[in-house]
Amino acid sequence: MARAALSREAVVEIALGLVDAEGEQGLTLSAVATRAGVATPSLYKHVRNLAELRELLSIRIMGELTDEVSAAVLGRSGDEAVRALMESWRSYVLRHPRRYSAMLQTPEPGLAEAGSRLVGIALAALRAYGLSDSAAIHAARCVRAAVHGFSMLEAGGGFGLPEKLDESYDLLIDVMTSGLSTPR
Amino acid sequence: MARAALSREAVVEIALGLVDAEGEQGLTLSAVATRAGVATPSLYKHVRNLAELRELLSIRIMGELTDEVSAAVLGRSGDEAVRALMESWRSYVLRHPRRYSAMLQTPEPGLAEAGSRLVGIALAALRAYGLSDSAAIHAARCVRAAVHGFSMLEAGGGFGLPEKLDESYDLLIDVMTSGLSTPR
DNA sequence: CGCTGTAGGCTAATGCCATTAGCTTAATGG
DNA sequence: CCATTAAGCTAATGGCATTAGCCTACAGCG
């Protein structure tokens, strides 16, 4: 072995800092290399290319989000669990808006797996509604779509007046919980 | 004046075709120039730069979407209007997934105006629920978030099993309409 | 203690892309 | 007919990702 200065994980870490500081568009291999104190081509010893770095970064971010949401849902059930899931999710987005925006949603294999962990949390939160397996999947997709849509719009500045967004999100939580409780 | 071969609108049109064919990443000035049968720098006579082209394209796409949604909602009210809005929106996304994905959500001035037209449609659709002005805005944001989230995920392949998405979306519509009808 | 294999770094080179500068031409309107 | 100007062009610059090929320090072996 040679000296282990950089590593795959360290490169992802630097990329994370870069995205936080400058947004998705600031994530460039040469910027990462500069921060790492290394020449750009050296990064290819740790990462196949920019696309792979983006994917690794997305997996990392989705993992962080899943950890937080998971901790928030733990020990709750029913409406309380859905509320906790939605609030903790948005909390993450508000603390790391650029991170969230940079997270890819594409069906890459590695990402799909990270995403399925998150889906699992959502399914667990919905268990108390007593839905069938298939109904639970549909319900989880609805929650995910609603939360993701709100998050993307808010993180990207897609809404107009920022002061009332808390209220809008409260309404969204109420709509989802009451809508999911109502038998079809 | 000189010969009016190209035009701002024609450039946007070509960009639209390019996005449909190759996705957002395929939208490059040199590709547009090739399709237009012109040298790349010539495009700068019609468009300030790539960023502006992206914005014009987004405005164009949002306008198309608004037209379709608007026509679908026309003459309906209450749950029926919300259902029509959501179904026509998704219908547009399914027919033009790359277009929808390429649509920016950033708070550029021109885009914000195009977006407000769409918000106006949503507000009109919600009128029958008898909400106050402010409550209607929150409700419209919820509908937008839910639809947009589902659309982004579906257009980007972010969901797993594709065969049941119609059912998931039906549930989302039910959740939104019943949730919005339920007094808080 | 020296040898060697290799991980991890480097420089050089390529090619694509956006963008700018400055020139040329063709149509228009007086 | 001619001046203006819109709309095109070529040439040049600089950023970026990526590839090829070289160099070196360290680990573990004999």
Side-chain angles (χ1 to χ4, degrees):
Chain A
M1 305 272 176
R3 67 244 124 126
L6 261 188
S7 71
R8 196 178 179 79
E9 294 71 36
V11 170
V12 173
E13 197 67 30
I14 291 171
L16 200 56
L18 212 41
V19 164
D20 280 341
E22 308 182 29
E24 192 178 359
Q25 46 158 19
L27 178 58
T28 135
L29 285 182
S30 74
V32 171
T34 301
R35 282 205 175 198
V38 123
T40 309
S42 304
L43 296 176
Y44 287 81
K45 292 291 159 94
H46 305 284
V47 148
R48 184 163 35 235
N49 51 30
L50 180 60
E52 196 198 43
L53 176 56
R54 284 215 188 91
E55 191 184 329
L56 291 172
L57 187 62
S58 298
I59 292 172
R60 159 71 188 264
I61 294 170
M62 196 173 287
E64 273 183 4
L65 173 62
T66 304
D67 288 346
E68 293 200 9
V69 169
S70 170
V73 169
L74 200 70
R76 299 178 205 264
S77 73
D79 288 356
E80 276 311 299
V82 171
R83 177 174 297 277
L85 181 148
M86 291 181 71
E87 281 180 346
S88 61
W89 190 310
R90 176 161 180 254
S91 161
Y92 181 87
V93 175
L94 289 181
R95 275 175 291 123
H96 310 291
R98 310 219 224 215
R99 249 178 238 203
Y100 192 82
S101 297
M103 192 177 58
L104 302 175
Q105 302 290 337
T106 57
E108 315 284 338
L111 255 174
E113 198 215 315
S116 68
R117 244 187 90 209
L118 194 42
V119 169
I121 307 288
L123 286 176
L126 293 168
R127 190 157 301 145
Y129 290 106
L131 303 167
S132 72
D133 285 3
S134 135
I137 288 177
H138 293 307
R141 281 175 172 168
C142 290
V143 172
R144 182 178 168 207
V147 175
H148 178 61
F150 199 97
S151 299
M152 286 296 284
L153 288 169
E154 185 171 20
F159 287 125
L161 321 160
E163 66 277 19
K164 298 174 157 187
L165 282 172
D166 287 354
E167 284 178 42
S168 300
Y169 199 69
D170 277 345
L171 174 60
L172 185 60
I173 293 175
D174 286 348
V175 167
M176 294 309 295
T177 53
S178 80
L180 290 175
S181 306
T182 307
R184 302 193 68 191
Chain B
M1 305 272 176
R3 66 243 125 128
L6 261 187
S7 71
R8 197 177 179 79
E9 294 71 35
V11 170
V12 172
E13 197 67 30
I14 291 171
L16 199 58
L18 212 41
V19 164
D20 281 341
E22 308 182 29
E24 192 177 0
Q25 48 157 17
L27 179 58
T28 136
L29 285 182
S30 73
V32 171
T34 301
R35 283 205 174 198
V38 124
T40 308
S42 304
L43 297 176
Y44 288 82
K45 291 292 157 94
H46 304 284
V47 148
R48 186 166 32 238
N49 52 29
L50 180 59
E52 196 199 43
L53 176 55
R54 284 214 188 92
E55 191 184 329
L56 291 172
L57 187 62
S58 298
I59 292 172
R60 159 72 188 264
I61 294 170
M62 195 172 288
E64 273 183 5
L65 173 62
T66 303
D67 288 345
E68 293 199 9
V69 168
S70 171
V73 169
L74 201 70
R76 299 178 205 264
S77 75
D79 288 357
E80 276 310 300
V82 171
R83 177 174 298 275
L85 181 148
M86 292 181 71
E87 281 180 346
S88 61
W89 191 310
R90 177 161 179 253
S91 161
Y92 181 87
V93 175
L94 290 180
R95 275 175 291 125
H96 310 291
R98 311 219 223 216
R99 248 179 239 203
Y100 191 83
S101 297
M103 191 177 60
L104 303 173
Q105 302 290 338
T106 57
E108 314 286 336
L111 255 174
E113 198 216 315
S116 68
R117 244 187 91 208
L118 194 42
V119 168
I121 307 288
L123 287 175
L126 292 168
R127 191 156 300 145
Y129 290 105
L131 304 167
S132 73
D133 285 3
S134 138
I137 288 177
H138 292 307
R141 282 176 172 168
C142 290
V143 172
R144 182 179 168 204
V147 175
H148 177 61
F150 198 97
S151 299
M152 287 297 283
L153 289 169
E154 186 171 20
F159 287 125
L161 320 161
E163 66 277 18
K164 299 174 157 189
L165 282 171
D166 287 355
E167 284 178 42
S168 299
Y169 199 69
D170 278 345
L171 174 60
L172 186 60
I173 294 175
D174 286 349
V175 167
M176 294 309 295
T177 54
S178 80
L180 290 176
S181 306
T182 307
R184 303 193 67 191

